[in-house]
Amino acid sequence: KQEVTQIPAALSVPEGENLVLNCSFTDSAIYNLQWFRQDPGKGLTSLLLIQSSQREQTSGRLNASLDKSSGRSTLYIAASQPGDSATYLCAVRRLGGNTGKLIFGQGTTLQVKP
Amino acid sequence: DVKVTQSSRYLVKRTGEKVFLECVQDMDHENMFWYRQDPGLGLRLIYFSYDVKMKEKGDIPEGYSVSREKKERFSLILESASTNQTSMYLCASRGRVGANVLTFGAGSRLTVL
């Protein structure tokens, strides 16, 4: 059974710091991995999607890496800003089937202090 | 801009009422999903649909049913609402080909009294 873990559960940093959020999964047979952002009381916004054949994806100040063999992904945020404060979730899509259900981690709640 | 629209942001219902949560997407996506999100439990899949009139149970289908009569609309039904169904409900959709990005709606916060 696939399990997804995100550590730490919460993180507080001063503005301007570079930071790394971690995501680990137990079964390396994944189709892809997706990182989301969620603001309080809102839905999820997709940030980056990494296919199983890829090693990393970049969007602006965000860079996500994937190491399937070790069951790990990291989300790197450069030069953090107060507007980056949110909960970040990773989700893995399993191989096989027509739909490929996503398994979500519990998320890391990030606070960036001015 | 592509969108997943959930009809109600906030609902308050009484125990035993029948509740309909509506979700509409404008991306011509085949796959649609209903999740619930609770503190400490994360997101859990209730039901998903991979085509019109097709549905499959997720991890926590008990107490829920769904309807997909048109490709763009996926409805979640609580036949008889209970207090333990108080939660945030999130609808999402994804195409069968292409980037396979899962796109979420804004969520529906349901309170059952």
Side-chain angles (χ1 to χ4, degrees):
Chain A
K1 179 186 173 184
Q2 178 73 273
E3 292 183 1
V4 180
T5 304
Q6 292 183 249
I7 296 173
L11 182 63
S12 180
V13 300
E15 182 177 5
E17 271 203 11
N18 302 323
L19 58 101
V20 174
L21 305 181
N22 297 297
C23 172
S24 61
F25 47 95
T26 55
D27 186 348
S28 62
I30 66 170
Y31 187 79
N32 59 37
L33 183 145
Q34 199 166 346
W35 282 93
F36 296 89
R37 167 188 173 134
Q38 185 176 32
D39 293 292
K42 303 288 180 62
L44 280 67
T45 301
S46 179
L47 297 174
L48 290 164
L49 181 147
I50 311 177
Q51 302 292 354
S52 62
S53 58
Q54 297 174 322
R55 297 283 293 181
E56 64 179 335
Q57 283 286 328
T58 298
S59 176
R61 294 183 293 108
L62 305 180
N63 175 277
S65 68
L66 175 64
D67 184 344
K68 272 200 320 178
S69 61
S70 66
R72 297 184 65 178
S73 176
T74 61
L75 178 66
Y76 174 82
I77 302 177
S80 58
Q81 303 170 357
D84 295 329
S85 299
T87 297
Y88 292 81
L89 297 103
C90 69
V92 298
R93 179 178 170 182
R94 303 187 299 203
L95 279 174
N98 196 23
T99 56
K101 296 191 299 185
L102 265 66
I103 309 298
F104 283 83
Q106 296 268 354
T108 295
T109 298
L110 171 67
Q111 181 184 31
V112 181
K113 296 179 179 178
Chain B
D1 197 13
V2 295
K3 276 189 177 174
V4 177
T5 302
Q6 294 185 231
S7 56
S8 303
R9 288 283 288 126
Y10 300 95
L11 303 94
V12 180
K13 298 291 182 180
R14 297 206 173 272
T15 301
E17 281 193 72
K18 191 168 186 176
V19 182
F20 293 87
L21 299 179
E22 305 286 344
C23 176
V24 177
Q25 50 95 4
D26 65 0
M27 297 167 280
D28 201 36
H29 283 169
E30 292 82 6
N31 302 314
M32 296 188 74
F33 305 80
W34 274 107
Y35 288 86
R36 67 177 281 178
Q37 185 177 31
D38 301 285
L41 297 176
L43 275 87
R44 294 179 290 168
L45 182 64
I46 305 171
Y47 267 97
F48 62 94
S49 168
Y50 51 90
D51 207 341
V52 175
K53 296 190 186 295
M54 306 303 288
K55 61 185 179 184
E56 285 197 23
K57 294 179 180 179
D59 300 317
I60 52 164
E62 297 78 19
Y64 302 95
S65 62
V66 290
S67 172
R68 183 121 183 248
E69 296 297 317
K70 294 185 177 181
K71 191 176 185 180
E72 67 271 18
R73 186 182 298 270
F74 190 36
S75 302
L76 179 69
I77 303 156
L78 288 67
E79 296 289 343
S80 178
S82 62
T83 55
N84 62 13
Q85 292 179 309
T86 292
S87 185
M88 169 71 97
Y89 290 88
L90 294 163
C91 174
S93 73
R94 183 179 65 219
R96 195 169 290 160
V97 295
N100 300 133
V101 173
L102 189 66
T103 303
F104 278 85
S108 298
R109 169 71 65 183
L110 172 67
T111 301
V112 183
L113 301 176

